[in-house]
Amino acid sequence: MDFSRLTLLILLLVVTACKNTEQPKMGIIPQPSEIKYQEGVFAINDKTVIFVGNNIEAPQITNELGSFLKDNFNLSLELSTVVQDNAIHLIKSGEDGENGAYSMTIGKEGVVIKGSTDQGIFYGVQTLKQMLSPKVGVKEPVLNFVSIQDSPAYKWRGMMLDVARHFVPKDSVKKVIDILAMHKLNKFHWHLVDGIGWRIQIDAYPELTNKGAWRKVKGDKKPWEDFEITSKDAEGEVYGGYYTKEDIREIVAYARERYIDVIPEIEMPGHSEAALQCYPEFSCDTDVITGVYCAGNDGTFQFLQNIISEVVELFPNEYLHIGGDEVGKESWLKCDKCKIRMQREGLQTAEELQSYFVKRMEKFIHSKNRKLIGWDEILEGGLPERATVMSWRGVEGGIEAANAGHDVVMSPGDPLYLDHSQGKSEYEPPSWGGYNNVLKIYDFDPIPKDIALDKKQHILGAQGNLWTEQVKSLSHIQYMMLPRISALSEALWTKADKKNKEHFIKKLDVHFDRLKELGYNFSGSSLTPDYDVSYDKINKVFGLSLHNELDFYEIRYTLDGSNPTVHSELYAGPIEYATSIELNAMCFRNGKPIGFPLKKMFSTGFGDQCKVIYGNAYDETYSGGGDKALFDNKFAIARGDDPSWQGIPQKDFEVLIDLGSATELSYVGLNFFQDIGATSVMLPTQVIISISMDGENYNTVLDESIATQEKREPIIKHIGSEFEKQEVAYIKIIAKNRSVLPEWHLRKGPAWIFADEISVK
Ligand code: ACM
Ligand code: ZN
């Protein structure tokens, strides 16, 4: 090929590529398979009609589009069954197509949305609505000429909502479903049952909702620490709620109109304290309810079968989730009935007994024309032959199941648990477990490499799971979902070769306004400044780099202790400093602050010459990174597993810092950690900070007693003191350890002190 032809070809490819790239302004999420722009625009006006093909059986789709145009643009469009110009045509081709596939063309004749099914048309309408929103600054709905082809990559695009830990009222559940629908997700896994709450009316067993749906509130104790059923009208503080059969039917119908299957989860054989406190006869030991059903009692199976018979009446979808996770098996090994069962069935281990349990339930569920799905523990002891596996402890269970020919839904804790925090800021609302940010979810590929080529079709898709130990309101649910569900939708709907992260970030900028217009509380964690510090040894200056996850928004900052405004210094590159600085940084979007602030003192007093002498050695497993960890410019976050914390059990935290030369200082402070809910780390009882010029005569600048805090949530406490500016060569810090955990603590044994990042100024 000669050079000019090659140039022409490259040019042509570039032009085609540009043409195929969606203009970010439209910000459609999830990204459609193919978008081609043409010259021209079509304006929807009061003469436009909605043409509805006569084979379309879903009036709610037309209603949704009609209401959207009425609410947003005050346009009341008439319906028509005559093909005409100036119309939005909804046409069902009836041809075979992927479930949910649709096409849309916008041209002189108006909008034509074609789907092979009603579901496809519904998705086309979701795309159209996104093209018309946010409506900020738009007077009338004007659409670019465009041609779109679209279909989903995966069949299972879902989210699980736990309504057991905290009850989510019916109307809030609908609001959750709305968010799934606008993102073309199609599975709503409803975790209706858990150890600390039963949430579904069962006629045969009224106590499940008379009592199992209500729990005593016991002071500051969390319900999973001390759970006791009660009744709604009992004396004292009571927490709970449940769905009547009518409520369930309403939610299922609401979801169905949005092409979302509802998968009910009835937990067994573990996580069942609520049910077993109501019906102790199905526990191995009726005096000690462990939350695990007795596998030796035929009555248990009858009880669960009766429940499932009522459940399948309410849920027409093909799957029924039986939980199966985290089953403590100690009670089985002590129970005579369970032992007899094991003998009779020739079962050697508790895992095989669990497998017997699940297989027996599977036969019943199959007889009811439903497919059993369970958490990956159902693999232990042998999987029922028709079972589908939901892989949550990583993707390994999913790989094993798929390679053995079972269908799989991926929902690994990392990165798909939505109860995990999505940012590292100390201002984040309470979360649970690890750290799953937006882009980690965006990058998730449901098909791991270890799945055999001919088994890939067994990966149905994936879902995000929102457990609600820490989540009590619709607003917090929305915060945990958004924008992570937006990222998940693109990971599951959009084919891998059409994903483009930079483009997604630009679209997210449009989407944020869309979410705002809908009144949703979305997280700005991905827009919160984060930092890195470097040190230039030759010039003896530090460099502070600021960034944020999306790196799309401006960061403004101050160094004088004030809160940044839109007029504050714009971050344009590393901030150089040779003396300590007090940074206050914030992201700004369209002139308004967004996300959380970053407020930290970055210190310069600790050069290479500086030495640290520990009175009591830190524990090697919590070294924080070694002897210089206390001033490495990495501030540990509010999590016990952050490797930046330096920890010591039982003994006092005692350090002497030899600065190596006299330095003028007027402030010394540091952070301590406590997390009663998840660790043995507690705040010290007293902190003493003293300074010295000669290493012999010390001047105490702080001696503070610290009151015990019984709060279960993690705490970072900064303890520090201002003093008259003076030359300092030595700093001594003593933090008193309470040695052993107090009686009321959830754990027993030594108390730990975690310390990090000494700031000096
Ligand atoms: C689970 O997170 N226990 C399924
Ligand atoms: Zn038993």
Side-chain angles (χ1 to χ4, degrees), residues 199-423:
R199 307 276 174 231
I200 170 172
Q201 178 190 348
I202 300 294
D203 296 332
Y205 302 108
E207 292 302 272
L208 289 173
T209 43
N210 287 343
K211 294 228 171 90
W214 308 96
R215 62 186 181 230
K216 286 189 186 168
V217 176
K218 301 192 170 181
D220 201 25
K221 275 199 176 161
K222 299 290 182 191
W224 51 88
E225 296 159 16
D226 184 2
F227 169 73
E228 194 178 339
I229 55 168
T230 183
S231 55
K232 184 172 184 236
D233 304 320
E235 275 192 23
E237 203 182 333
V238 170
Y239 178 85
Y242 69 91
Y243 309 100
T244 63
K245 289 197 165 175
E246 215 33 62
D247 293 337
I248 303 250
R249 284 192 196 97
E250 193 178 319
I251 294 288
V252 169
Y254 189 87
R256 204 174 176 76
E257 287 192 342
R258 288 154 184 79
Y259 300 91
I260 293 172
D261 293 344
V262 184
I263 295 96
E265 181 178 348
I266 307 295
E267 271 270 14
M268 64 188 77
H271 281 276
S272 298
E273 286 83 346
L276 287 166
Q277 285 190 20
C278 296
Y279 296 94
E281 59 269 40
F282 306 122
S283 173
C284 287
D285 180 341
T286 53
D287 295 327
V288 186
I289 308 250
T290 59
V292 178
Y293 290 105
C294 177
N297 181 351
D298 283 332
T300 296
F301 294 93
Q302 197 54 55
F303 174 72
L304 290 168
Q305 287 173 11
N306 292 344
I307 289 171
I308 282 171
S309 298
E310 291 191 35
V311 170
V312 296
E313 290 295 316
L314 296 167
F315 295 91
N317 309 117
E318 59 182 333
Y319 286 96
L320 196 144
H321 203 301
I322 55 99
D325 57 322
E326 301 176 309
V327 183
K329 303 174 184 74
E330 303 75 27
S331 60
W332 286 349
L333 298 172
K334 285 190 243 156
C335 166
D336 289 341
K337 284 189 191 143
C338 285
K339 284 188 212 158
I340 294 171
R341 173 84 70 208
M342 287 176 76
Q343 245 168 22
R344 287 208 181 133
E345 300 291 334
L347 309 171
Q348 306 303 317
T349 62
E351 284 69 29
E352 287 179 11
L353 183 58
Q354 172 175 311
S355 167
Y356 165 87
F357 196 115
V358 177
K359 283 179 178 159
R360 187 161 163 179
M361 290 311 301
E362 194 281 333
K363 281 203 186 77
F364 182 75
I365 289 167
H366 180 70
S367 78
K368 292 280 174 187
N369 260 329
R370 296 293 187 278
K371 289 185 181 166
L372 176 143
I373 180 166
W375 300 111
D376 55 64
E377 286 92 330
I378 66 172
L379 280 154
E380 293 165 4
L383 197 57
E385 103 192 78
R386 293 170 289 240
T388 300
V389 169
M390 190 168 270
S391 192
W392 73 280
R393 298 175 300 173
V395 293
E396 291 70 23
I399 295 172
E400 183 185 336
N403 283 342
H406 289 262
D407 283 349
V408 167
V409 176
M410 289 296 189
S411 64
D414 178 0
L416 297 188
Y417 269 31
L418 304 175
D419 55 336
H420 292 12
S421 153
Q422 50 204 317

Side-chain angles (χ1 to χ4, degrees), residues 543-557:
L544 175 66
S545 313
L546 300 180
H547 46 91
N548 59 77
E549 191 191 337
L550 299 183
D551 263 337
F552 189 66
Y553 300 96
E554 59 184 40
I555 299 175
R556 292 184 180 268
Y557 68 95

Side-chain angles (χ1 to χ4, degrees), residues 689-755:
I689 300 178
S690 31
I691 53 176
S692 170
M693 220 5 249
D694 56 12
E696 287 184 6
N697 301 300
Y698 278 87
N699 171 16
T700 301
V701 292
L702 178 135
D703 184 347
E704 191 175 323
S705 297
I706 297 165
T708 301
Q709 294 196 47
E710 294 190 27
K711 195 168 116 130
R712 295 294 200 271
E713 284 68 35
I715 301 169
I716 290 182
K717 190 166 176 71
H718 185 78
I719 309 267
S721 173
E722 299 261 6
F723 46 85
E724 201 175 318
K725 193 179 263 191
Q726 56 195 277
E727 300 258 290
V728 177
Y730 299 90
I731 302 171
K732 200 190 275 180
I733 302 173
I734 299 173
K736 295 274 181 200
N737 195 333
R738 63 181 65 237
S739 292
V740 287
L741 294 170
E743 197 54 35
W744 51 262
H745 201 283
L746 306 168
R747 297 165 173 237
K748 300 278 164 269
W752 285 69
I753 286 181
F754 271 23

Side-chain angles (χ1 to χ4, degrees), residues 499-547:
K499 278 174 71 184
N500 175 327
K501 193 153 39 184
E502 283 71 40
H503 187 211
F504 174 72
I505 290 169
K506 286 185 192 157
K507 293 190 301 175
L508 210 46
D509 185 50
V510 179
H511 206 54
F512 284 148
D513 283 326
R514 198 174 278 147
L515 300 175
K516 215 176 334 173
E517 237 172 54
L518 289 162
Y520 295 155
N521 178 29
F522 61 89
S523 159
S525 307
S526 53
L527 312 169
T528 294
D530 203 352
Y531 64 91
D532 279 307
V533 175
S534 60
Y535 183 60
D536 174 349
K537 278 189 180 163
I538 296 164
N539 296 309
K540 295 196 166 34
V541 287
F542 288 86
L544 175 66
S545 313
L546 300 180
H547 46 91

Side-chain angles (χ1 to χ4, degrees), residues 13-30:
L13 284 172
V14 170
V15 170
T16 323
C18 291
K19 269 206 151 154
N20 284 348
T21 308
E22 184 201 3
Q23 291 173 356
K25 179 74 183 64
M26 295 211 306
I28 300 170
I29 296 177

